């Protein structure tokens, strides 16, 4: 264990009453402005609990690279500017159906831990009443050939990998759906570092 | 590239905490999967370029009349685990009014709403990592977790810090609250010192004569393992 002089503050639940402070700005659901580079998608995140009930009071945050694989952050040292028509951060509260609908672009590939590239993915944080410490997961895109070579997916037991996939709508290919099962059968894979 | 240290055992809440009933159906039963820290986690939303209005950190000045309740000046520093200030990071807060009622349609506690109080505020930390809010002391309120359940008075805090791994949402409590021992949300944190660190302290120095009580509360975000030497090499 490394030395440290202070200890990180404990997390506590967001509770049920955060909306008037954190999610009044619904513009945070539109990450891609018109003119954003790349494949524009509508991404519907559905949150359900251990009894398959929709969670209507969750907050979903997304963090992703732009379509070229550039994060809008100083730690991303790639010598190019992030797409100015794109914001890598999205934040919405779920509605009565437990859904949060984001407008974004499919992210590009970013550097992986092994020197290679990761498959396109969106980082997700879930907060809710009953969630004392926020949960991290990732959204990958079903059918992307890069998924087979992704070193993070490779660490997930094969039978659980599908919980990390968003699927396109059969009729509207630009509409993708991702389900977050907080608990129980088909439980989404959550990560820790 | 640097990496973030794991949090110390017992210093974060247990995810499934029987006494807090909502945790049981809303948290994974399977263990979390450990993965390497990649560019995806070492970056994160900074929200440092969000325009903050001049009075966004004063929750008492948005209406013609002042809200009811005890005025407080609440300030403190945001630091990492090596004691370095976390500069220019967004701090968002929200709270109940002095009667213990939230400005939220789902809150049906039959205590009065205050027409002069919304209960949300935002601030950016300065070069020393310091934030400052002016607000009123929130009331305690009952909740449906168990018979005669009451939450200790608290203010919710949301912070980003420099990466996805420093994200924190927590609650700040007030010293001497008799409800601590009965609160399953606070008691979900196994380590007593970690619980104590969520309690602000009264501060005479920032108490404003004839006007408002001062409270201080420092927040610590997960630290990266970068040594001062590595920092110098950047």
């Amino acid at each position: 264990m490394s030395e440290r002089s202070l200890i990180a503050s404990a997390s506590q639940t967001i509770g049920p009453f955060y909306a008037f402070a954190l999610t009044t700005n619904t513009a945070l659901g539109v990450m891609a402005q018109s003119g954003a580079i790349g494949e524009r998608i509508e991404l519907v995140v559905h949150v359900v609990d251990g009894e398959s009930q929709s969670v209507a009071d969750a907050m979903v945050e997304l963090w992703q690279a732009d379509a070229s694989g550039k994060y809008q952050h100083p730690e991303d040292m790639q010598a190019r500017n992030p797409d100015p028509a794109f914001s890598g951060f999205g934040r919405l509260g779920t509605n009565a159906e437990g859904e949060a609908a984001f407008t974004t672009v499919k992210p590009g590939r970013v550097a992986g831990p092994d020197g290679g590239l990761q498959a396109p993915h969106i980082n997700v944080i879930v907060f809710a009443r009953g969630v004392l410490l926020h949960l991290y997961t990732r959204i990958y895109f079903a059918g992307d050939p890069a998924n087979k070579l992704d070193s993070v997916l490779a660490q997930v037991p094969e039978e659980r990998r599908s919980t990390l996939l968003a699927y396109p709508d059969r009729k509207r290919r630009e509409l993708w759906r991702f389900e977050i099962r907080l608990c129980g059968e088909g439980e989404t894979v959550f990560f820790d570092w | 590239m640097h990496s973030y240290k794991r949090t110390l055992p017992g210093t974060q809440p247990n995810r499934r905490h029987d006494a807090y009933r909502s945790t049981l159906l809303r948290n994974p039963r399977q263990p979390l999967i450990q993965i390497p820290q990649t560019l995806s986690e070492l970056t994160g939303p900074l929200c440092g370029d969000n325009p903050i209005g001049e009075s966004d950190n004063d929750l008492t000045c948005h209406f013609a009349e002042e809200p009811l309740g005890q005025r407080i000046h609440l300030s403190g520093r945001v630091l990492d685990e090596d004691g370095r200030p976390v500069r220019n990071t967004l701090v968002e807060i929200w709270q109940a009014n002095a009667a213990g009622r939230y400005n939220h349609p789902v809150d049906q506690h039959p205590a009065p709403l205050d027409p002069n109080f919304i209960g949300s505020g935002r601030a950016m930390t300065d070069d020393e990592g310091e934030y400052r809010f002016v607000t009123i002391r929130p009331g305690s309120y009952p909740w449906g977790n168990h018979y005669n359940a009451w939450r200790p008075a608290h203010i919710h805090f949301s912070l980003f810090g420099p990466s996805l791994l420093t994200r924190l949402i927590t609650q700040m409590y007030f010293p001497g609250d008799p409800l601590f021992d009965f609160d399953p949300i606070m008691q979900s944190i196994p380590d007593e010192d970690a619980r104590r660190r969520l309690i602000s302290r009264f501060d005479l120095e920032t108490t404003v004569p004839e006007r408002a009580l001062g409270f201080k509360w420092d927040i610590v975000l997960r630290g990266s393992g970068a040594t001062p030497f590595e920092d110098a090499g950047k």
Side-chain angles (χ1 to χ4, degrees):
Chain A
M1 193 85 50
S2 340
E3 298 282 324
R4 63 189 97 202
S5 54
L6 298 171
I7 297 169
S9 303
S11 172
Q12 295 273 264
T13 179
I14 193 171
F17 303 135
Y18 64 83
F20 67 94
L22 300 186
T23 52
T24 50
N25 181 10
T26 53
L28 286 175
V30 182
M31 299 155 72
Q33 304 305 317
S34 60
I37 296 159
E39 182 187 338
R40 197 176 181 81
I41 60 171
E42 207 176 307
L43 176 62
V44 177
V45 178
H46 182 214
V47 185
V48 297
D49 71 10
E51 289 178 341
S52 295
Q53 297 295 309
S54 291
V55 175
D57 57 4
M59 183 171 86
V60 177
E61 286 185 349
L62 305 184
W63 171 244
Q64 65 165 96
D66 68 16
S68 75
K70 170 82 178 176
Y71 280 109
Q72 191 180 0
H73 190 281
E75 285 289 330
D76 188 331
M77 311 284 194
Q78 299 175 90
R80 59 173 184 274
N81 292 323
D83 180 355
F86 179 74
S87 163
F89 176 60
R91 167 156 94 175
L92 290 173
T94 52
N95 62 17
E97 284 75 49
E99 291 182 344
F102 296 88
T103 301
T104 184
V105 295
K106 188 173 172 183
R109 301 179 67 177
V110 302
D114 50 4
L117 291 172
Q118 303 188 53
H121 66 275
I122 298 177
N123 309 285
V124 185
I125 311 184
V126 187
F127 304 87
R129 171 177 63 85
V131 176
L132 285 157
L133 178 54
H134 53 265
L135 289 161
Y136 290 96
T137 186
R138 284 180 167 205
I139 300 173
Y140 287 85
F141 295 84
D144 193 308
N147 290 344
K148 289 195 185 72
L149 302 168
D150 185 86
S151 59
V152 168
L153 276 179
Q155 297 193 31
V156 175
E158 199 169 356
E159 69 277 10
R160 299 191 66 200
R161 281 180 206 158
S162 64
T163 71
L164 298 174
L165 296 179
Y167 293 92
D169 187 83
R170 289 210 181 97
K171 289 181 185 143
R172 289 181 54 205
R173 300 298 291 182
E174 75 281 11
L175 172 62
W176 291 74
R177 295 180 195 282
F178 182 70
E179 184 157 87
I180 297 177
R181 290 199 162 258
L182 296 173
C183 181
E185 197 170 334
E187 184 175 289
T188 299
V189 167
F190 296 101
F191 295 113
D192 191 24
W193 295 270
Chain B
M1 200 179 271
H2 64 249
S3 62
Y4 284 84
K5 291 174 242 191
R6 297 194 62 74
T7 55
L8 290 176
T11 64
Q12 293 293 328
N14 292 325
R15 292 179 187 278
R16 303 175 71 79
H17 184 65
D18 289 348
Y20 177 17
R21 285 167 31 201
S22 301
T23 63
L24 300 179
L25 287 174
R26 291 184 162 205
N27 284 280
R29 298 200 178 116
Q30 310 233 29
L32 306 191
I33 293 182
Q34 312 277 331
I35 59 173
Q37 297 178 12
T38 75
L39 194 61
S40 295
E41 294 79 32
L42 298 174
T43 58
L46 296 176
C47 300
D49 52 358
N50 260 17
I52 298 271
E54 206 170 293
S55 60
D56 281 5
N57 69 339
D58 186 343
L59 287 68
T60 67
C61 70
H62 296 282
F63 298 92
E65 310 258 328
E66 279 198 85
L68 292 173
Q70 172 77 63
R71 276 184 221 109
I72 63 173
H73 280 211
L74 171 60
S75 60
R77 293 178 76 199
V78 183
L79 303 163
D80 69 16
E81 287 179 303
D82 295 312
R84 290 177 294 219
V86 181
R87 302 184 172 98
N88 199 34
T89 200
L90 178 66
V91 182
E92 295 165 289
I93 66 167
W94 70 102
Q95 63 172 91
N97 69 20
R101 177 86 185 262
Y102 281 91
N103 173 31
H104 190 291
V106 174
D107 186 359
Q108 293 301 316
H109 173 35
L113 280 165
D114 184 340
N116 298 309
F117 191 68
I118 290 178
S120 67
R122 297 157 19 110
M124 300 298 292
T125 57
D126 67 14
D127 281 350
E128 304 302 317
E130 180 140 334
Y131 70 85
R132 288 175 201 83
F133 289 102
V134 179
T135 182
I136 50 100
R137 188 173 172 140
S140 304
Y141 57 86
W143 60 310
N145 186 70
H146 57 274
Y147 173 71
N148 213 5
W150 290 78
R151 294 296 328 280
H154 60 273
I155 296 180
H156 295 265
F157 273 70
S158 167
L159 297 102
F160 288 91
S163 83
L164 207 64
L165 301 185
T166 51
R167 186 82 175 92
L168 175 69
I169 286 187
T170 188
Q171 301 180 23
M172 185 213 81
Y173 300 94
F174 289 87
D177 195 314
L179 293 169
F180 291 154
D181 289 349
F182 307 99
D183 181 39
I185 292 183
M186 191 185 200
Q187 298 300 324
S188 68
I189 306 162
D191 183 81
E192 189 182 346
D193 287 333
R195 293 197 296 272
R196 187 179 42 76
R197 286 191 293 267
L198 296 184
I199 305 169
S200 58
R201 66 178 172 83
F202 169 71
D203 181 55
L204 191 60
E205 212 162 292
T206 52
T207 292
V208 185
E210 316 292 331
R211 181 79 196 159
L213 293 181
F215 286 89
K216 282 278 187 190
W217 185 56
D218 290 343
I219 302 159
V220 181
L221 302 182
R222 260 180 93 172
S224 64
T227 63
F229 175 78
E230 283 166 341
D231 267 1
K234 265 188 192 169

